[in-house]
Each structure stands twice: as structure tokens, then as C-alpha cells.
Amino acid sequence: MNAVAEPETPVRGARPTTFETLPTVASDVTTRARLGRLLTPHGTVETPQFMPVGTNATVKALDPDDLREAGATMILANTYHLALRPGHERIARLGGLHRFMAWDRGILTDSGGYQVVSLGDRLTIDDDGVTFRSHLDGSPQRFTPEYSIAVQEALGADVAVCFDQPVPPHASSRASVAEATERTHRWAERCLVAHSRPDQALFGIIQGGLEADWRAASTDFLRALPFDGLCIGGLAGDETAAQRRAALDIVVQRLVDDPRPRYLMGLGSPLDLLDAVDAGVDVFDSVLPARVARNGTLWVPGGRLNLRNARFLDDPSPVLEGCPCRLCRTFSRAYLAHLFRANELLAYRLATCHNLTFTLDFMARIRSALAAGTFPRLRRELQAHAASTDAAGEPA
Amino acid sequence: MNAVAEPETPVRGARPTTFETLPTVASDVTTRARLGRLLTPHGTVETPQFMPVGTNATVKALDPDDLREAGATMILANTYHLALRPGHERIARLGGLHRFMAWDRGILTDSGGYQVVSLGDRLTIDDDGVTFRSHLDGSPQRFTPEYSIAVQEALGADVAVCFDQPVPPHASSRASVAEATERTHRWAERCLVAHSRPDQALFGIIQGGLEADWRAASTDFLRALPFDGLCIGGLAGDETAAQRRAALDIVVQRLVDDPRPRYLMGLGSPLDLLDAVDAGVDVFDSVLPARVARNGTLWVPGGRLNLRNARFLDDPSPVLEGCPCRLCRTFSRAYLAHLFRANELLAYRLATCHNLTFTLDFMARIRSALAAGTFPRLRRELQAHAASTDAAGEPA
């Protein structure tokens, strides 16, 4: 079933979470998009795939039934947040993260690297690790590669991720990118040594910012290590779409015969996902669909609806005709608009159900097109449709 | 099937919502508790019954599936809130309240009388109605009996309720009780005249505060009018349990042969419900179970658990073993305690599911005991159990 070349990289022996690429109809050689399947101890994840984010061991406002109904097969949980509260050792005593949150499908934990840098106060980074103050209570904290791995092994997700030092892609100097990337490489080697849980896969993280040579060097460095998958970090930040695509092309070109899954961290808007799939990425995560949903922004083909707009208060139609989500199959735009105005808790759940269903359906549509050999056409159509929407992003 | 005497009061002809009392095993003549059935255009409501409160056309944090799963067969929605936002005419244009909130079981709307007095700013009451400022935007508003009925007919609940003037039961002078009660009587007659929607029942409201003669007079006055049911208002406030029971006994003694449902407004704690059922009340509503749930207080037999207490962070057991609710059948106390500490939205939904399931199961247990003739014994057992709990209300 595997249509790509044999791995040229070292492997660490049999892993419970494995990846296989699937044959697709030969179509357009201009795309690197690929169809695959991540086999985890908690079920199969068809790729390209999007992982909703469950920061505090809950995808905000949803329960596991909602997530299953939306089509989620794997979610991301945040190591930084869970280590601080309720504590990874507590979760381990309670049977691990799957049991704690009653989610029996796939889980990936990030390493905490991004949150330490973005949320921690009074940050000092040295070669051994990062010292900071908790954003919750100001308590002193220290994350090292070894500690991040220990936390992730305690949480027990299907996939753990190396502790890295991301930098803002566009705003960072070449020197700071170089320093963070080299440190990330040293930490990757330490994470490999530290990681021992046999039922958990470990992904490395490629950094390199927007510096072409550092992106290439980081890809080559990580590729040579026996990780089960490769994350592409330090993007989905302040860079332009063109800058991101250029960085992705450098990475994927150097991984083109590598059979391991490629996971671009933090990307979530449909057109961005489409472009990154085209560039050859298999897995994504982002808080974006859920966060904008809680603000009243509902995604529809080619645009979005702001349910806080007064015009929806009298609109009896569903947010999206034919959408199978809990919101659209039952309630009107008028009702959702009312719930948002009244600050009713149900608004957040219904809107989140919709945007995650929309995003996961969008990925399923991409997979169908890949299987049928029509992905390049789908991409052209969706980009043209998006270009016809107005500046506010509302559908034309 | 009707075990009580023929009605001695005028009737307004066939109504879509009717009430019948059911035969029970003769047991203990010391209780006035009775078993009944409210037949509405949206299904049958077994009594004694508790109605969760959906103030803004949503029972906070729950969707209709959650409500059905908790066992709700009828809910209350607030006329005052819905008239101000999103507006009753808008809801009528959207197909009425049932369709708006996608709830296909029973709905009762209150009259707005209580909210006008408790939430409205710069209140002036005259014999025609009440002028006040909206608590939402300060806009000038006026409620009259005719306006309350018009709003409720636009909302289209199965049961509407007369516009009344409640007063705090304990804190009110005899003169203010007298004035408010007589006004409530005049308004009841105007509501009867104003009400015309043939598919909607209309309940009158008995007032009278804690003044025995006024309670009796109000009962006699309302009883003589052709309402489909009788609300008992002006209780479940600042009175003691003994004061409430005394007022209830006055009311029910004068209604003992009246076949119409008796609805005590605003009562929600299990032991209070038990006592009021014993006094002969059929229907209740309260925000209490849902409100305390959102604060982290979970009801269990004989007491409550405060899930914000640190001792629950390591507790792998469910909140209540054997409870069929969404919370207890899936999640641990530890997980819920974590969600509350992290201010996660899922906490509010899960806790509300539990407390409403608990309350509705409690009413079902009361009905079973009534059917079996064991209600007096159940009441003694539950009161003894409650007396054995500690002062903080935690189970002994």
C-alpha cells in the first residue's frame, strides 16, 4: 500500500504509531499533496488531517461526543498547560490523558516550547532549558528537553513532540533564528535519548524561520534522526502566505522521499490548509476555527458569517444549508445570533461544533479529491471562489 | 382515570393543555401529595414535576438533547427577558418559541411580573401596569396584564401565566401584601379577558404573602375564575420553610377538590420540593439546580459536593455512582474539578446535566413512591438522611 520509496533514514524499530502513504490517481505533477494514514494505538487518522486543540484536556465548549460527531480522529493537547494545571503526574495517576478526558481516539501532545516562549513571564533561555514564571500564579518553572519528554510520557498521548525553541518567523533576526535553530537541534537529540515510552511515537521539529539556508539545514538535521514524524515549526505566525509557502517548499523538497508524516504546527484557516496540503503537509492543528467560533465568526464555503451582525437576528435559515453539524441541522442563524447577544453558553458550543465540522469536512473533501486525482482542480476552484468574496471575508 | 371530584369551578371549554389526577395506592391520609398528568400539545408531563428554567430560550449551557436526556418534559421560559431580547414579535415571525429554540416538548412562560419587579430599574406601579427601565439598556418599558398576555401569545408556549404583582413574602408589610394581592386579582380578570389563543392554556396566580387571611382570600378569588391551572406565587423567597408550608396548607386546603394543576413558582431544592409535594403541589420551576451547578456545587443524595474543593482533584470516582447523566457515566470528579479550576466551558454543561438529572430523577422517585403508596415513608427517610448531613451540606 505504500507508494513511496523505502526510508533512507534510521528507524527506531517498531512503533505503535506508524504512517503509510496511500496510492492516489496520478493527476498533476505540480502538487506534492499526498494521501496517508496514521495508525495509532487509538485508531486510524486519515491524512491530510486537522487536529482540534484541547489545551486544558478539553476542546473548549465540546465534549468527546461532540468531537466524534464533528469527525475528529486526533486532537492536540498542550503539555505546558497540563503540566501547570492539573499536573501531569496527577493525570498519570488518574490513568493518563485519554482516560482523564474520556477521549478514546488519537492524541498528540506538543512539547510546551511554543507556550513557554509565548506565555511564560520573565523568560530566560539557556542551553540546558528555559526558566520562566507560570502565567497562572507566577510560580517559578523550568522546562528542559528531558522534562518536556517526562511530562509527555506521563500524559501518555499517542504522539509526543520534541522540546524546541520557536522564534517569530518574520520578526526574528537571522542571528536569533540561527541560535534558536541550533539549540533546537541539540534539544532534539536530547529528547530522543530521554524518550523511552514504547507505546508513544516521538516527532522531531524542524525550525529555521524564514532563512532558506537554516530551513534547509534544519530539515537535513532532523531528517537524519530516527523520529517517527517531522513537525514543521516556527511558521503559522507573522509570516506572509508566500513566505510560508517558500519555507514549506524548502522543507518538503528535502523530505520528498521520506515516508514519515509531516505536521505543520499551528495552521488553521481553510485556504492556508489547502496551500500547505499542496506543499506536501499531512497533519495540522490550530485553535483558530474554535477561537473565531467563540467570537461569533462562522465559516462557510468561500467566506465567513459574523453572527454578531444584527442582520442575522431575523434569519430563519441555518448557518450552512446541508451542513451535518449540531448547529446547522437544528437551529437558525436567528437563534445563534440571539444566543451570542445574550452571552449564552450554548452559543460557544454550537458555533465551535460548526467550525470544527466545517474544517474537518474540508479536509475530508481534500482527501477525496486526492483519491480521485482531482485535487489540483479543487484547489483552483476554492482559490477562485475565495478571491470572489468581499474584503470583509463575507461570501460574495 | 380521574380519582377526584368533578370540578366546582367554571371552565372555559376544551383546552389543548389539560390535567388529570391519577389513582394512587391509598396509603397515608396525612399527605396531600398527588399523582397527575398534564397533557400539552407538546407531550405529556407527569406530575409532580420540575421544570428547568430556560430564561433566554435556552437552559443555560444545555441543548435540547441534553434536556431530553436529563428527563425534562416541560421547561419554563421568561417572558420579561424574551420580550426585551430578542423580542417576542421576532420569535413569533420565526415560528414561535418551540421552533426558535428547537424544543418539541412542553413550555410554560411566566408572566414577567416577578422579573419586572426584581430586575427593572426605576419601577413605578400603578393600577394599569408597571413602568420601568430595561436592565439591558435602560430603555423605558411598560408591562400591563394585556401586554404580558400579548407577549406570551406571541411566544406561543403551551401554558401562559397571568401578570401579577409579587412581593417579598417575609419582608413585606401587611398593607403592601394587601395592595399587591388585590391588584393581582384585578389583573387576573384582565388577563382572562385579554387571552385568546386557543392552543394555549392560561394559569392564574394566587398571591397573599404570608398573611393567612389574604392567602385564603386570594385562593378563593383565583379559584372562582376559569383558569386552566393555579400558580402559587409570592413564595420561594425570603420566608422560612415553616412559613412556606403554612401558606401552602392554606392554599391547598381550599383547592382540595379542585382538579386543576397547582404550580408553586420558584422552588428548587430537593427537600423543599419534597415538602411542597407533600403539601399538594404538582409543578415546580427554579433556576437553583442549574445555578449552583455552574458554581461547582453538585447534588448527591442527602447533600452536595463542592467540586471547587481541592480534595476532588485526585478523585477518580464519578460525582454519583450509578447516575445516568452525561457527567457521571463518563467523567471523574477529578476531571470536573480540573475543568472548574481552568474555567472551562464544558464544566458548566456537565455540572448542569448532573443537577438537572438529579432533580428530575428525584421527582420521578417521588412519583414512583406515590404510585406505590410509599410516599410518606420516602419522605421520612429522605428527611432523616438530610438531617444526618453535616452543617456544610456535604454528605455525612
Side-chain angles (χ1 to χ4, degrees), chain A residues 10-54:
Chain A
V11 291
R12 289 197 296 163
R15 279 283 171 185
T17 292
T18 58
F19 183 68
E20 58 188 28
T21 51
L22 301 177
T24 55
V25 176
S27 57
D28 186 330
V29 292
T30 63
T31 184
R32 287 212 179 91
R34 62 182 188 175
L35 205 55
R37 195 182 271 158
L38 197 63
L39 306 160
T40 85
H42 292 87
T44 296
V45 179
E46 307 286 343
T47 66
Q49 189 56 268
F50 177 83
M51 299 185 290
V53 176

Side-chain angles (χ1 to χ4, degrees), chain A residues 66-79:
Chain A
D66 293 330
L67 279 172
R68 271 186 285 271
E69 196 174 278
T73 50
M74 190 164 204
I75 64 165
L76 178 146
N78 286 118
T79 290

Side-chain angles (χ1 to χ4, degrees), chain B residues 193-212:
Chain B
V193 172
H195 190 259
S196 65
R197 188 165 169 156
D199 59 346
Q200 186 176 62
L202 181 63
F203 284 16
I205 305 187
I206 296 163
Q207 289 290 347
L210 300 179
E211 306 294 328

Side-chain angles (χ1 to χ4, degrees), chain A residues 56-58 60 63 65-66 85-86 90 93 100 102 313-314 326 330 335 338 341 344-346 349, chain B residues 56-58 60 62-63 65-66 85-86 90 93 100 102 313-314 326 330 335 338 341 344-345 349:
Chain A
N56 290 312
T58 163
K60 290 190 189 306
D63 78 353
D65 284 347
D66 293 330
R85 183 179 60 194
R90 170 172 281 138
R93 283 195 302 273
F100 183 60
L313 285 171
D314 289 297
R326 176 164 292 270
T330 307
Y335 184 64
H338 162 65
R341 292 203 165 213
E344 281 288 348
L345 293 166
L346 182 57
R349 177 171 169 232
Chain B
N56 290 312
T58 164
K60 289 189 192 304
L62 303 194
D63 78 353
D65 284 346
D66 293 331
R85 181 178 62 193
R90 169 172 282 139
R93 283 195 302 272
F100 183 60
L313 285 171
D314 288 297
R326 175 164 293 271
T330 307
Y335 184 64
H338 162 65
R341 293 201 164 215
E344 282 289 348
L345 293 166
R349 177 171 168 232

Side-chain angles (χ1 to χ4, degrees), chain B residues 328-343:
Chain B
C328 294
R329 69 173 189 258
T330 307
F331 302 101
S332 63
R333 294 172 175 186
Y335 184 64
L336 185 62
H338 162 65
L339 292 181
F340 270 113
R341 293 201 164 215
N343 297 314

Side-chain angles (χ1 to χ4, degrees), chain B residues 250-268:
Chain B
I250 291 168
V251 169
V252 178
Q253 189 174 7
R254 305 178 98 82
L255 296 176
V256 79
D257 293 326
D258 194 295
R260 294 174 293 183
R262 306 161 191 156
Y263 158 34
L264 174 52
M265 309 177 91
L267 204 68

Side-chain angles (χ1 to χ4, degrees), chain A residues 273-344:
Chain A
L273 295 172
L274 188 69
D275 193 59
V277 166
D278 182 61
V281 178
D282 305 303
V283 182
F284 304 89
D285 80 281
S286 173
V287 297
L288 190 71
R291 180 173 288 164
V292 303
R294 295 196 305 278
N295 288 330
T297 299
L298 281 284
W299 286 354
V300 293
R304 58 181 186 244
L305 307 178
N306 179 359
L307 266 286
R308 293 191 179 273
N309 188 313
R311 73 185 166 100
F312 294 117
L313 285 171
D314 289 297
D315 190 338
S317 55
V319 162
L320 177 57
E321 194 72 55
C323 172
C325 84
R326 176 164 292 270
L327 170 67
C328 293
R329 68 173 190 258
T330 307
F331 302 100
S332 63
R333 294 172 175 185
Y335 184 64
L336 184 62
H338 162 65
L339 292 180
F340 270 112
R341 292 203 165 213
N343 296 314
E344 281 288 348

